[in-house]
Amino acid sequence: MNKNQKINSKVCVIGLGYVGLPLALKLSESGWDVTGYDTNKIRVDQLSNNSDITKEVEEHELISFTGTYTSDILEAADCTTYIVTVPTPIDSFSEPDLGPLKEASRLIANVLKFDDLVIYESTVFPGVTEEYCIPILEHGSGLLINKNFHVGYSPERINPGDKTRDVSNIVKVISASSSESLLKVEKLYRSFMTSDIYIAENIKVAEASKLLENTQRDVNIALMNEFSEVVSKLGVDMNEVINAAASKWNFQTYFPGMVGGHCIGVDPFYFIYRAKQLGSTAPLVTAARNVNNAQVARTINEILRLCVSKKIDTSGARVLQLGVTFKPDCPDIRNSLSLKLLKELHTIGFEINYHDPYIDFLDVAVFSDLREISSADILIVAVPHHFYKDNIKEMIKLHSIDKNKIFIDLQSAFPKFENDFQL
């Protein structure tokens, strides 16, 4: 289909973050008449001025967008399809916060019409779409599911910071409330997908599949973290262990690390919550979450031990941490354990300085010039952005050979310099 050829159907994307914005642009490019909705008026204004602080899309993509942005749902009242891509975070008790999802459903209910389609992409535990969202849509609109309107569920698979995989070339799982609804959902995604579409048996299967994707990674990373903690006490390099194990054809390669972000560090809690509702304790997943969340404390304990052995006074010792986002080459700081590490070092009493090519506005620490690496008592490479690998390898090497200083390379991102600690 010619991207300039309009499809006789209007789509509203609810939530213009890491998931919603790329989807809205791709739909527009494919010929759909798109309205992008977000409650954040500042975000709407930025996008209207072709500025995306998430850096997920390029400026030329924003400029090419032929739709509209709004923070008034009534401006999307003439749409026939609504796609929900709002966050599904956890609360202070590590339990699901469905507030944004419920509010999005209430907004849509106010404008829902006969034969409209609502698709949810937000990550949820199995049953949320049918037990929470659909009743809100029915109650607010006075319409009945499958009789007056349609619902689909298609879990997002956006990988923040990944410039090779986008919303169109990652296999898309789809599901719907009826066979008629499924045809509508499939038509929409096939209009721009270059990759395959997988049709799940029902909505609960699709919801559960997303949780399994990320929970599997969380559990495997926890295994690596736990294993590395043990073998490091034997003076064994965990990376060498992984390389040796990976020589077997069926070994699945994962690496130790700090698990943050809005997916792997959050989604397992949705599974744990649902499991408890059904009478299970989900012991393996719970243990994995505990192991991965303990990596900040493990790192701090090692830093304090090294300070004692190298006679570095923690009161006023200068720390320079490189990277505070939750993953390399991405400006996302949601649930970042690297940022948590920085804050806890500040609480202990270290003089905290940091550098991140994507983040320069933290209140807890001073943003530093990379030339200050040489003056740091403790240098921590927490997030190995390619920027560091490409530009400061020699500076890091010079710091690492100073026996009176501490060098922490958490992700083993650099060659075997004199690394005092790695995960």
Side-chain angles (χ1 to χ4, degrees), residues 46-67:
Q46 290 171 340
L47 294 175
S48 298
N49 290 312
N50 301 321
S51 173
D52 172 32
I53 61 172
T54 70
K55 307 298 182 185
E56 280 301 297
V57 298
E58 303 295 334
E59 184 179 10
H60 70 85
E61 296 177 274
L62 292 168
I63 293 173
S64 299
F65 180 60
T66 58

Short mmCIF file of all heavy atoms in Angstrom, two decimals, residues 46-67:
data_model
loop_
_atom_site.label_atom_id
_atom_site.label_comp_id
_atom_site.label_asym_id
_atom_site.label_seq_id
_atom_site.Cartn_x
_atom_site.Cartn_y
_atom_site.Cartn_z
N GLN A 46 5.93 18.78 22.72
CA GLN A 46 7.25 18.41 22.20
C GLN A 46 7.13 17.65 20.89
O GLN A 46 7.85 17.95 19.92
CB GLN A 46 8.00 17.55 23.23
CG GLN A 46 8.45 18.31 24.47
CD GLN A 46 8.99 17.38 25.55
OE1 GLN A 46 8.71 16.18 25.55
NE2 GLN A 46 9.76 17.93 26.46
N LEU A 47 6.24 16.69 20.85
CA LEU A 47 6.06 15.91 19.63
C LEU A 47 5.52 16.77 18.49
O LEU A 47 5.92 16.60 17.33
CB LEU A 47 5.12 14.73 19.88
CG LEU A 47 5.64 13.66 20.84
CD1 LEU A 47 4.57 12.60 21.10
CD2 LEU A 47 6.89 13.00 20.28
N SER A 48 4.65 17.71 18.82
CA SER A 48 4.12 18.62 17.80
C SER A 48 5.23 19.47 17.20
O SER A 48 5.12 19.93 16.05
CB SER A 48 3.04 19.51 18.41
OG SER A 48 1.94 18.74 18.87
N ASN A 49 6.31 19.65 17.99
CA ASN A 49 7.47 20.41 17.51
C ASN A 49 8.59 19.48 17.04
O ASN A 49 9.75 19.88 16.97
CB ASN A 49 7.98 21.33 18.61
CG ASN A 49 7.03 22.48 18.88
OD1 ASN A 49 6.58 23.14 17.95
ND2 ASN A 49 6.71 22.70 20.15
N ASN A 50 8.21 18.23 16.75
CA ASN A 50 9.15 17.23 16.20
C ASN A 50 10.33 16.95 17.13
O ASN A 50 11.47 16.79 16.68
CB ASN A 50 9.65 17.68 14.83
CG ASN A 50 8.52 17.86 13.84
OD1 ASN A 50 7.57 17.08 13.83
ND2 ASN A 50 8.60 18.88 13.00
N SER A 51 10.05 16.87 18.42
CA SER A 51 11.09 16.56 19.41
C SER A 51 10.66 15.36 20.24
O SER A 51 9.56 15.34 20.80
CB SER A 51 11.33 17.77 20.33
OG SER A 51 12.22 17.44 21.38
N ASP A 52 11.53 14.34 20.32
CA ASP A 52 11.23 13.13 21.09
C ASP A 52 12.34 12.90 22.10
O ASP A 52 13.46 12.54 21.75
CB ASP A 52 11.12 11.92 20.15
CG ASP A 52 11.02 10.61 20.93
OD1 ASP A 52 10.44 10.63 22.03
OD2 ASP A 52 11.52 9.59 20.42
N ILE A 53 12.04 13.09 23.38
CA ILE A 53 13.07 12.95 24.42
C ILE A 53 13.45 11.49 24.64
O ILE A 53 14.51 11.22 25.23
CB ILE A 53 12.62 13.57 25.76
CG1 ILE A 53 11.35 12.88 26.28
CG2 ILE A 53 12.39 15.06 25.63
CD1 ILE A 53 10.96 13.31 27.69
N THR A 54 12.65 10.54 24.19
CA THR A 54 13.02 9.13 24.35
C THR A 54 14.07 8.70 23.33
O THR A 54 14.68 7.63 23.49
CB THR A 54 11.80 8.20 24.21
OG1 THR A 54 11.36 8.19 22.83
CG2 THR A 54 10.66 8.66 25.10
N LYS A 55 14.26 9.47 22.29
CA LYS A 55 15.23 9.17 21.23
C LYS A 55 14.92 7.85 20.50
O LYS A 55 15.79 7.27 19.86
CB LYS A 55 16.66 9.11 21.78
CG LYS A 55 17.08 10.32 22.58
CD LYS A 55 17.07 11.59 21.76
CE LYS A 55 17.55 12.79 22.57
NZ LYS A 55 17.46 14.06 21.82
N GLU A 56 13.67 7.40 20.59
CA GLU A 56 13.30 6.15 19.94
C GLU A 56 13.09 6.33 18.44
O GLU A 56 13.20 5.38 17.68
CB GLU A 56 12.03 5.57 20.57
CG GLU A 56 12.25 4.83 21.85
CD GLU A 56 13.20 3.65 21.71
OE1 GLU A 56 12.88 2.71 20.96
OE2 GLU A 56 14.28 3.69 22.33
N VAL A 57 12.75 7.54 18.03
CA VAL A 57 12.51 7.78 16.60
C VAL A 57 13.36 8.97 16.16
O VAL A 57 13.75 9.82 16.96
CB VAL A 57 11.02 8.06 16.30
CG1 VAL A 57 10.18 6.84 16.66
CG2 VAL A 57 10.54 9.27 17.07
N GLU A 58 13.64 9.00 14.88
CA GLU A 58 14.46 10.07 14.32
C GLU A 58 13.60 11.29 13.99
O GLU A 58 12.38 11.18 13.80
CB GLU A 58 15.17 9.58 13.05
CG GLU A 58 16.03 8.34 13.26
CD GLU A 58 17.20 8.59 14.18
OE1 GLU A 58 17.66 9.75 14.27
OE2 GLU A 58 17.67 7.63 14.82
N GLU A 59 14.24 12.44 13.89
CA GLU A 59 13.52 13.68 13.62
C GLU A 59 12.77 13.61 12.29
O GLU A 59 11.65 14.09 12.18
CB GLU A 59 14.47 14.87 13.63
CG GLU A 59 13.75 16.20 13.45
CD GLU A 59 14.69 17.39 13.48
OE1 GLU A 59 15.92 17.16 13.46
OE2 GLU A 59 14.21 18.53 13.53
N HIS A 60 13.38 12.98 11.28
CA HIS A 60 12.73 12.92 9.97
C HIS A 60 11.44 12.09 10.04
O HIS A 60 10.50 12.33 9.27
CB HIS A 60 13.68 12.36 8.91
CG HIS A 60 14.01 10.89 9.07
ND1 HIS A 60 13.21 9.90 8.54
CD2 HIS A 60 15.04 10.27 9.69
CE1 HIS A 60 13.74 8.72 8.82
NE2 HIS A 60 14.84 8.91 9.52
N GLU A 61 11.39 11.11 10.96
CA GLU A 61 10.17 10.33 11.13
C GLU A 61 9.06 11.19 11.74
O GLU A 61 7.90 11.09 11.36
CB GLU A 61 10.44 9.11 12.01
CG GLU A 61 11.42 8.11 11.41
CD GLU A 61 11.70 6.97 12.37
OE1 GLU A 61 12.61 7.11 13.21
OE2 GLU A 61 11.01 5.95 12.28
N LEU A 62 9.44 12.02 12.69
CA LEU A 62 8.47 12.93 13.31
C LEU A 62 7.95 13.93 12.28
O LEU A 62 6.76 14.24 12.25
CB LEU A 62 9.11 13.66 14.48
CG LEU A 62 9.47 12.80 15.71
CD1 LEU A 62 10.36 13.58 16.66
CD2 LEU A 62 8.21 12.32 16.41
N ILE A 63 8.84 14.43 11.47
CA ILE A 63 8.45 15.41 10.45
C ILE A 63 7.50 14.78 9.43
O ILE A 63 6.57 15.43 8.94
CB ILE A 63 9.71 15.98 9.76
CG1 ILE A 63 10.52 16.81 10.75
CG2 ILE A 63 9.34 16.82 8.53
CD1 ILE A 63 11.86 17.28 10.21
N SER A 64 7.70 13.50 9.14
CA SER A 64 6.88 12.81 8.14
C SER A 64 5.51 12.42 8.65
O SER A 64 4.64 12.02 7.86
CB SER A 64 7.62 11.55 7.63
OG SER A 64 8.85 11.90 7.02
N PHE A 65 5.30 12.49 9.95
CA PHE A 65 4.02 12.10 10.54
C PHE A 65 2.90 12.99 10.00
O PHE A 65 2.96 14.21 10.09
CB PHE A 65 4.10 12.22 12.06
CG PHE A 65 2.85 11.84 12.80
CD1 PHE A 65 2.31 10.57 12.69
CD2 PHE A 65 2.20 12.77 13.61
CE1 PHE A 65 1.16 10.21 13.39
CE2 PHE A 65 1.04 12.42 14.31
CZ PHE A 65 0.53 11.14 14.19
N THR A 66 1.84 12.37 9.48
CA THR A 66 0.75 13.13 8.87
C THR A 66 -0.47 13.24 9.78
O THR A 66 -1.48 13.83 9.40
CB THR A 66 0.32 12.49 7.54
OG1 THR A 66 -0.08 11.14 7.78
CG2 THR A 66 1.46 12.51 6.53
N GLY A 67 -0.38 12.64 10.96
CA GLY A 67 -1.51 12.68 11.88
C GLY A 67 -1.46 13.87 12.81
O GLY A 67 -0.80 14.89 12.53
#
